[in-house]
Amino acid sequence: MTATLAENLARAAEAIGNARYGVGFTGAGISVESGIPPFRGEGGVWNRYDPSILDLDTFMRSPERSWPAIKEMFTAFLGTGDRTPVEPNAAHRVLAKWEAEGRIKTVITQNIDGLHEAAGSRNLVEFHGHCRSLVCLSCGRRLPLNAETTAADVPKCPCGGLLKPDFVFFGEGIPPEALADSDEAARRTDCMVLVGTSGVVYPAASLPFLAKRNGAFVVEINPEPTSYTDAVVDVFLPLKAGEAMERLDELVSA
Ligand code: APR
């Protein structure tokens, strides 16, 4: 007999409440209620752009092809330029609250939208980098990413080199510190809460499997089941991130 949603919420809350080393693992779905579309599924970015615009070799070969789409993604989704900046939602805020309460030790995010940091998460692993800065592919200098530094059709460093946003492109390595920190967290956690990820992009997607192999209780929050659901998940909550996290926080805090 399948458990009811209320029973599953209670089981998840109990695991989170008893966790010694809780870890959040988030994807684009946690930011959908902040107005940022996911990459896949309904309204997904990859329904409108060819993912190859974020291939590193495509960007190096023809940056003039990638930059217009990158800018549009930023101004449309991340509120840079003249758009009103997007805000964290309840799900980001609950993760930050649980960190402050010592219930979770860290959040590993695949997102580059900066909303976990804005919500107050401090022990944050930005697995795919971030969009706060540009890096020069010639001299390595970093500049802030803003409307001014990205005004040119193909932004260039004062040294003349090509500037690239500081997030991880397809075919680019994961920042070594992010790899190390996320690997340690996935090995140490006794309770991993997956929020809003389709689990299709590696190596990030391997982390819940690593956590499970090391004995973690895994909670998944996603309106849709994913490749994790039947493989490593102990409690699947078919809910949107904001509602699920608020209901879990009420139970955990009771
Ligand atoms: N609440 C929770 N989950 C949601 C919500 C919501 N309101 N809306 C959508 N989702 C779920 C979708 O069902 C989907 O499973 O969020 C997931 C989003 O999946 P993706 O768009 O594939 O995002 P993500 O898993 O983060 O992608 C990983 O792919 O394109 C690359 O680098 C990019 O970091 C990204 C990586």
Side-chain angles (χ1 to χ4, degrees), residues 25-33 37-42 44-46 51 54 89 91 109-112 128 167-170 195-202 204 220-226 228 239-242:
F25 179 63
T26 68
I30 197 171
S31 298
V32 166
E33 289 155 87
F39 288 98
R40 299 167 186 84
E42 191 185 333
V45 170
W46 299 141
L54 292 186
N89 62 57
T109 188
Q110 301 169 82
N111 302 340
I112 59 169
H128 290 153
F167 59 77
V168 177
F169 279 45
F170 290 116
V195 189
T197 181
S198 60
V200 298
V201 173
Y202 282 78
E220 180 176 35
I221 295 167
N222 195 320
E224 306 292 334
T226 67
Y228 296 125
L239 296 170
K240 291 185 176 181

Side-chain angles (χ1 to χ4, degrees), residues 27-94:
I30 197 171
S31 298
V32 166
E33 289 155 87
S34 294
I36 299 180
F39 288 98
R40 299 167 186 84
E42 191 185 333
V45 170
W46 299 141
N47 303 344
R48 290 196 295 290
Y49 295 100
D50 183 333
S52 69
I53 59 158
L54 292 186
D55 274 345
L56 187 58
D57 57 14
T58 304
F59 179 80
M60 307 273 279
R61 252 199 335 268
S62 39
E64 72 289 344
R65 184 173 156 242
S66 297
W67 265 109
I70 291 173
K71 286 183 187 177
E72 197 177 321
M73 277 168 69
F74 276 108
T75 48
F77 306 148
L78 298 182
T80 51
D82 57 355
R83 280 204 26 115
T84 47
V86 289
E87 295 292 327
N89 62 57
H92 299 101
R93 288 195 295 272
V94 168

Side-chain angles (χ1 to χ4, degrees), residues 109-114 124-133 142 164-169 172-175 178:
T109 188
Q110 301 169 82
N111 302 340
I112 59 169
D113 55 34
L124 182 62
V125 179
E126 294 180 309
F127 200 84
H128 290 153
H130 54 81
C131 59
R132 293 185 291 276
S133 51
R142 278 187 160 76
K164 172 190 161 299
D166 237 338
F167 59 77
V168 177
F169 279 45
E172 186 178 7
I174 301 299

